[in-house]
Amino acid sequence: QVQLEESGGGLVQAGGSLRLSCAASGRTFTTMGWFRQAPGKEREFVAAIRWSDITYYGSSVKGRFSISRDNAKNTVYLQMNSLKPEDTAGYYCAAKRTTQFSSVSVDYDYWGQGTQVTVSS
């Protein structure tokens, strides 16, 4: 049974940093990603990683967030720097059965429960 478990969310002041983790179990995935959703808004693509080092970012986080993975631990990380109040959202880890990259949430097959990130001004 596949499970994705996020951790690392919390409350931080604007300009601060957080690191989210997503531990996968049950199988390994070539492509994994992070999405976020704020109340009343659609789910938004944040970042994705294919294999070990091919990365993709949403325009609103490029240059501030960094995605990485530790294959030995089957874990993906999202390092978030220079956080802004508009980054406040639930952050969700996702994984695809296939290897191709996608920024569309419906293309992802497995999802974690989410972790809340709140950035105060």
Side-chain angles (χ1 to χ4, degrees), residues 5-59:
E5 185 172 357
E6 303 100 333
S7 61
L11 174 64
V12 64
Q13 288 188 331
S17 299
L18 281 175
R19 189 176 83 154
L20 306 183
S21 299
C22 173
S25 59
R27 61 163 285 180
T28 59
F29 297 95
T30 299
T31 300
M32 296 186 68
W34 288 94
F35 289 77
R36 67 186 183 186
Q37 188 166 21
K41 295 189 176 182
E42 292 187 354
R43 191 160 290 193
E44 176 189 14
F45 170 73
V46 175
I49 186 165
R50 289 180 67 222
W51 305 108
S52 293
D53 57 0
I54 303 174
T55 58
Y56 309 84
Y57 296 95
S59 58

Side-chain angles (χ1 to χ4, degrees), residues 5-117:
E5 185 172 357
E6 303 100 333
S7 61
L11 174 64
V12 64
Q13 288 188 331
S17 299
L18 281 175
R19 189 176 83 154
L20 306 183
S21 299
C22 173
S25 59
R27 61 163 285 180
T28 59
F29 297 95
T30 299
T31 300
M32 296 186 68
W34 288 94
F35 289 77
R36 67 186 183 186
Q37 188 166 21
K41 295 189 176 182
E42 292 187 354
R43 191 160 290 193
E44 176 189 14
F45 170 73
V46 175
I49 186 165
R50 289 180 67 222
W51 305 108
S52 293
D53 57 0
I54 303 174
T55 58
Y56 309 84
Y57 296 95
S59 58
S60 61
V61 306
K62 193 174 294 185
R64 300 188 297 122
F65 290 12
S66 177
I67 189 170
S68 62
R69 69 194 305 169
D70 183 334
N71 290 328
K73 296 181 179 179
N74 206 12
T75 298
V76 173
Y77 304 98
L78 184 68
Q79 178 66 43
M80 305 185 295
N81 298 327
S82 302
L83 283 161
K84 305 175 182 180
E86 51 263 44
D87 293 318
T88 295
Y91 283 70
Y92 298 87
C93 177
K96 294 178 82 270
R97 290 194 189 99
T98 59
T99 62
Q100 297 90 341
F101 163 70
S102 174
S103 64
V104 179
S105 61
V106 295
D107 290 339
Y108 286 75
D109 303 291
Y110 302 96
W111 290 86
Q113 293 295 316
T115 186
Q116 179 67 31
V117 171

